[in-house]
Amino acid sequence: MELSDKVALVTGSTGGIGAETARLMAAAGAEVVVSGRNAERGAATVRSITDTGGKARFVAADLTDPAALRCLAEAAGPVDILVNNAAIFPGRRPWTRNSTRSTRASRRTSAPRTSSPRRWFPR
């Protein structure tokens, strides 16, 4: 994959999958905008990219704040590639269990009424 002359914004790229995605895009030639909440970790990601000859810069942003999101867009400038790695789950944590009642409701609304795949595909 050749990404020369491309600008990539990777949200949540101060660690983990986001940081590795940023490094891979830089290795492919993109200029990477590293974004996250922690400036020290962002600087470490940028350093890991620039130490290997890549181009990167850090823009701090907490994507739970709409004003910070607007500032990120302005600071990043035009981008060719957006990797939305940062995620929030409003109202509930993803690891909490559903109640039995909501699980049953989910099964009723999402499960097909028939076990035959023929019904899913018209002839």
Side-chain angles (χ1 to χ4, degrees):
M1 172 172 51
E2 177 61 35
L3 300 178
S4 294
D5 301 321
K6 303 289 183 191
V7 176
L9 168 58
V10 184
T11 64
S13 56
T14 57
I17 292 171
E20 188 60 27
T21 301
R23 285 190 280 272
L24 289 170
M25 291 196 150
E31 176 186 342
V32 179
V33 180
V34 173
S35 176
R37 295 177 294 187
N38 187 305
E40 288 178 23
R41 290 174 55 188
T45 302
V46 168
R47 198 169 34 258
S48 72
I49 291 169
T50 57
D51 285 352
T52 59
K55 291 170 47 176
R57 58 191 166 99
F58 175 71
V59 177
D62 179 353
L63 299 186
T64 62
D65 177 9
L69 181 58
R70 283 189 290 279
C71 289
L72 170 60
E74 290 173 10
V79 298
D80 301 295
I81 303 162
L82 171 63
V83 178
N84 188 18
N85 181 63
I88 60 169
F89 299 94
R92 138 168 197 226
R93 299 196 185 276
W95 56 84
T96 58
R97 295 176 62 111
N98 288 337
S99 69
T100 303
R101 184 176 178 188
S102 68
T103 302
R104 286 183 190 144
S106 173
R107 287 183 188 145
R108 278 196 307 269
T109 59
S110 62
R113 294 194 179 269
T114 178
S115 60
S116 172
R118 290 183 193 165
R119 212 169 158 183
W120 303 335
F121 302 101
R123 289 186 183 200

